[in-house]
Amino acid sequence: MKKKNYDFEDDRNDGVYFIDDNTDGGAVSGLRWEELIPKELKFRPASRKDANEVVELIHLAIGDIAEQLTGQTKVETIRKTLTNFFCEENNRVSYQNVLIADIFNEIAGIIVTYSGADALQLDMPLLERLRRKTRNQNIFFDQEADVGDLYIDTLSVSPKFQGCGIGTELLLKAEESALQKGYDRISLNVAKDNPNAKKLYNRIGYQKDKEIQINGHTYDYMVKTLKK
């Protein structure tokens, strides 16, 4: 039998991802996304070469918080600044903190996590740059994470792959990592005007702990207690 050569055509109007399966019979078969995703989805740590795609997903997820972190307002300059930090180490958006969901060698989604105890230290490179840029030493970032938690800073799924359960899988991977590192709590923030995301987090066990302010917006700080 010849080696299979898969040619993928994306056609999700009817929920089918068509596969041209060039076997001896030359048959064409169709599989639904929910059948393909579990088989093809892989996870890997980010590297510097992922910068452009990952930074775009981070920016899509955090919105105007990116303006606060960079002191920029134009998309190009925001992403250039975030890219520079992504390629460096020991800051909140560093590649070191990013796990990638990969399908068919495409970045389908990302999750950014770090220890709440390290949040202030990881913010400092961005904060010091912003203070130099604005010549204002009184600028501070809002505290997003509690000490003792593994904090999910950003969860973002590519628009091309939304609705396929990839966000849930990334959250589960983050929980596995938290347990391996000895955490018994994992946390995240969800905007008040994002009920769909909050519904997802509630469904997999996150509960509202308190409300906090980030860049002038109110967020629910949600926590999940992990079972060892």
Side-chain angles (χ1 to χ4, degrees):
M1 180 179 290
K2 293 189 300 182
K3 184 178 180 180
K4 293 182 179 181
N5 177 25
Y6 291 116
D7 180 23
F8 297 97
E9 178 186 351
D10 185 358
D11 183 356
R12 269 166 287 177
N13 290 331
D14 56 3
V16 175
Y17 196 93
F18 289 103
I19 301 177
D20 180 9
D21 186 356
N22 296 319
T23 61
D24 288 340
V28 177
S29 60
L31 291 177
R32 295 189 176 276
W33 275 101
E34 55 266 28
E35 296 173 303
L36 276 171
I37 294 297
K39 296 179 181 179
E40 302 296 337
L41 187 63
K42 298 177 176 61
F43 299 91
R44 62 176 177 85
S47 65
R48 291 182 176 92
K49 67 180 177 62
D50 299 309
N52 289 338
E53 291 174 271
V54 172
V55 164
E56 180 178 352
L57 289 176
I58 290 174
H59 191 195
L60 288 173
I62 67 176
D64 62 6
I65 294 175
E67 297 181 14
Q68 180 194 36
L69 296 178
T70 63
Q72 309 285 354
T73 56
K74 295 182 179 179
V75 170
E76 289 183 4
T77 50
I78 288 172
R79 292 185 179 176
K80 181 179 179 181
T81 301
L82 292 177
T83 296
N84 290 338
F85 280 112
F86 176 84
C87 293
E88 296 177 0
E89 298 182 353
N90 302 317
N91 69 80
R92 72 188 283 174
V93 296
S94 170
Y95 71 93
Q96 296 171 304
N97 304 325
V98 181
L99 181 70
I100 288 174
D102 183 288
I103 185 165
F104 310 131
N105 296 317
E106 290 189 61
I107 296 177
I110 57 105
I111 193 164
V112 182
T113 62
Y114 48 80
S115 171
D118 295 336
L120 292 177
Q121 179 182 346
L122 293 173
D123 275 347
M124 196 54 62
L126 288 86
L127 189 57
E128 289 178 346
R129 175 197 166 276
L130 189 58
R131 286 172 175 172
R132 290 194 302 270
K133 181 179 184 298
T134 60
R135 298 181 181 179
N136 182 358
Q137 294 298 310
N138 295 318
I139 293 177
F140 293 93
F141 294 149
D142 297 306
Q143 182 177 341
E144 296 186 23
D146 284 354
V147 174
D149 293 351
L150 183 71
Y151 177 61
I152 299 172
D153 179 281
T154 307
L155 173 66
S156 185
V157 176
S158 168
K160 179 177 178 179
F161 293 98
Q162 288 177 3
C164 301
I166 292 171
T168 300
E169 293 299 321
L170 282 164
L171 288 167
L172 294 176
K173 283 292 181 182
E175 292 174 18
E176 289 179 14
S177 176
L179 284 170
Q180 291 170 1
K181 294 175 181 177
Y183 293 93
D184 57 14
R185 288 200 348 162
I186 189 167
S187 60
L188 52 83
N189 283 295
V190 59
K192 285 287 191 180
D193 59 356
N194 194 352
N196 290 334
K198 188 172 182 179
K199 185 182 297 185
L200 165 64
Y201 302 141
N202 282 146
R203 180 171 58 81
I204 61 175
Y206 288 79
Q207 298 296 324
K208 178 180 176 181
D209 183 66
K210 60 185 175 182
E211 293 183 357
I212 69 170
Q213 294 290 314
I214 304 176
N215 197 32
H217 303 295
T218 302
Y219 286 76
D220 286 341
Y221 189 80
M222 303 188 72
V223 172
K224 181 174 181 178
T225 300
L226 302 174
K227 296 180 181 180
K228 297 182 179 180

